[in-house]
Amino acid sequence: MSHTAHFFTRLAREPGVLVTVDGTQGSVPREAGAWMAVFADAVAGTVGGGHLEFDAIAQARQLLPAAVLGAAAAQVRRYALGPSLGQCCGGVVHLRFEAVSAADLPALRQRLFQHTRPVALFGGGHVGKALVRLLGALPFDVHWIDSRDEIFPAEVPANVRCEHSDPVQAAVASLAAGSQVMIMSFSHAEDLDVVAACLKRQRERGDLSTIGLIGSKSKWAAFRHRLEARGFQADDLAQVTCPIGVPGITGKEPEVIAVAVAAQLLLTTPEG
């Protein structure tokens, strides 16, 4: 279970304290917006570990009784990461502590995912499932699409939305702007249709971040010919990456491929 899913599951049952990095100066372990949720006997997420986190958890648990009563006001505390905390980063972290309950879940879902980047994943096979498990713990908003009924697991990470689309390429029109598209369906024919739909959207809107296709160089060579026959030009085809995954990772196991693809998504995600 991802940190976010753990947080939301616990929060549905009991109040907690959300600790967020409100601001930073200098060298610090986590960026502004990083968070952890603290309950009486559990913690989800991290604001950087070490003595900073140890002190933050202790402070949050002091606020828990008031949080249970709904009487805890939000507060911001300053932590200098020097000898007193046993951390040599040398920077300053401002942590925000706020009581949260089940009533805050809708707002928290929007807030915690507002800085995530959209990924559109076509294909619910072995690699797709392995990739979703990884992306569930990473800063992505995943739109997972397949044409087959009952292909998706009963439970998915909190940042994953499943869509059954038949024909599968029909879902391309509704993808979020800026999506990084990864195509790995069960069928080469479906893969080809999705790639073509993505390239058509790029001609019309130019708003997809990347288009990645699972497969070999020989698969892409065959696809190039078929896409050219559909009227796509060299500059269109140059927008497709195939094979996908960071170079140098050669294993064929679904989990290995998923790690290589997740790393590529992180490397090609623009800052912002």
Side-chain angles (χ1 to χ4, degrees), residues 3-269:
H3 294 313
T4 308
H6 184 200
F7 173 30
F8 289 171
T9 300
R10 287 294 297 258
L11 191 61
R13 302 196 306 262
E14 62 184 287
V17 173
L18 180 63
V19 184
T20 309
V21 178
D22 199 55
T24 66
Q25 297 168 274
S27 178
V28 296
R30 290 299 307 273
E31 70 287 354
W35 60 270
M36 70 177 178
V38 180
F39 299 93
D41 61 352
V43 175
T46 176
V47 292
H51 208 143
L52 166 68
E53 190 158 295
F54 181 82
D55 276 15
I57 291 171
Q59 174 64 21
R61 286 191 170 137
Q62 288 181 15
L63 297 174
L64 273 176
V68 171
L69 297 174
Q75 58 179 263
V76 177
R77 298 190 59 167
R78 179 182 184 274
Y79 292 83
L81 304 182
S84 63
L85 277 181
Q87 293 181 237
C88 58
C89 299
V92 175
V93 176
H94 297 268
L95 294 181
R96 178 181 178 85
F97 297 79
E98 56 187 312
V100 289
S101 67
D104 299 305
L105 276 170
L108 287 170
R109 289 181 191 277
Q110 182 175 6
R111 172 178 156 191
L112 295 182
F113 292 144
Q114 68 176 336
H115 298 301
T116 59
R117 287 85 170 193
V119 168
L121 173 60
F122 286 86
H126 296 302
V127 177
K129 288 183 172 68
L131 183 57
V132 161
R133 288 193 292 270
L134 277 177
L135 298 183
L138 295 173
F140 295 107
D141 182 11
V142 183
H143 185 178
W144 193 13
I145 303 137
D146 201 286
S147 65
R148 294 167 290 177
D149 290 319
E150 301 178 355
I151 193 66
F152 301 113
E155 295 185 4
V156 296
N159 62 331
V160 176
R161 173 170 62 93
C162 300
E163 179 183 354
H164 172 259
S165 178
D166 188 8
V168 68
Q169 69 271 18
V172 170
S174 62
L175 299 182
S179 288
Q180 293 177 264
V181 182
M182 291 289 126
I183 303 163
M184 50 185 71
S185 81
F186 73 100
S187 159
H188 281 202
E190 281 201 349
D191 284 352
L192 184 65
D193 285 340
V194 175
V195 172
C198 288
L199 293 179
K200 183 173 182 290
R201 172 164 168 163
Q202 288 296 76
R203 281 184 172 180
E204 295 170 352
R205 297 187 242 174
D207 64 348
L208 297 177
S209 176
T210 57
I211 304 169
L213 171 67
I214 197 168
S216 63
K217 292 180 179 179
S218 59
K219 176 181 175 178
W220 177 234
F223 271 43
R224 285 184 64 94
H225 291 306
R226 294 171 187 170
L227 291 165
E228 286 168 350
R230 296 191 186 192
F232 293 104
Q233 306 298 317
D235 56 342
D236 297 313
L237 302 177
Q239 299 176 75
V240 181
T241 299
C242 181
I244 52 174
V246 294
I249 299 178
T250 57
K252 300 298 185 182
E253 300 89 340
E255 292 77 13
V256 173
I257 297 171
V259 167
V261 173
Q264 183 181 49
L265 288 169
L266 289 167
L267 284 170
T268 56
T269 296

